């Protein structure tokens, strides 16, 4: 849950760590995960995005995680991924934040950028 970085969701395989690829679209964020179910975060569910060094009992050096805070029903969740391109992480954060409903941004075009 978003309020506790050590809390890890144990329903289905949503809490499983997996390699994968992130795809950002105007309609949301798709995390295609290897060996686990894909995760779709609709744009209207995005609350915030940040760089962090900890999530779900995982700690990485520096600010090595892109963490998306999103709403699932009444619950706020944090979902994170590490990018192969550390220099692009800030761009990912800004682009994901722009998906949120409180941000006025054009939504007529999808971007198919990938991160691993």
């Amino acid at each position: 849950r978003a309020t506790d970085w050590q809390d890890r969701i144990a329903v289905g395989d949503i809490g499983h760590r997996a390699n994968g690829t992130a795809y950002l679209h105007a309609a949301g964020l798709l995390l295609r995960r290897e060996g686990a179910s894909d995760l779709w975060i609709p744009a209207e569910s995005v609350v915030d995005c940040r760089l962090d060094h900890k999530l779900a009992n995982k700690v990485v050096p520096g600010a090595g995680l892109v963490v998306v805070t999103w709403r699932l029903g009444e619950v706020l969740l944090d979902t994170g991924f590490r990018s192969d391109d550390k220099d692009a992480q800030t761009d990912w954060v800004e682009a994901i934040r722009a998906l949120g409903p409180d941000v006025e941004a054009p939504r007529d075009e999808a971007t198919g950028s990938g991160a691993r």
Side-chain angles (χ1 to χ4, degrees), residues 24-49:
L24 187 59
H25 303 272
L29 176 67
L30 175 62
L31 300 174
R32 290 220 176 257
R33 304 184 309 153
E34 299 169 14
S37 300
D38 294 344
L39 180 61
W40 172 251
I41 302 174
E44 62 271 9
S45 297
V46 173
V47 174
D48 198 9
C49 188

Side-chain angles (χ1 to χ4, degrees), residues 13-70:
D13 69 355
I14 193 171
H16 292 183
R17 290 187 180 116
N19 288 330
T21 304
Y23 297 93
L24 187 59
H25 303 272
L29 176 67
L30 175 62
L31 300 174
R32 290 220 176 257
R33 304 184 309 153
E34 299 169 14
S37 300
D38 294 344
L39 180 61
W40 172 251
I41 302 174
E44 62 271 9
S45 297
V46 173
V47 174
D48 198 9
C49 188
R50 68 185 186 279
L51 291 177
D52 210 328
H53 70 280
K54 61 190 184 314
L55 179 66
N57 275 334
K58 177 152 182 92
V59 178
V60 299
L65 293 169
V66 175
V67 178
V68 182
T69 301
W70 57 289

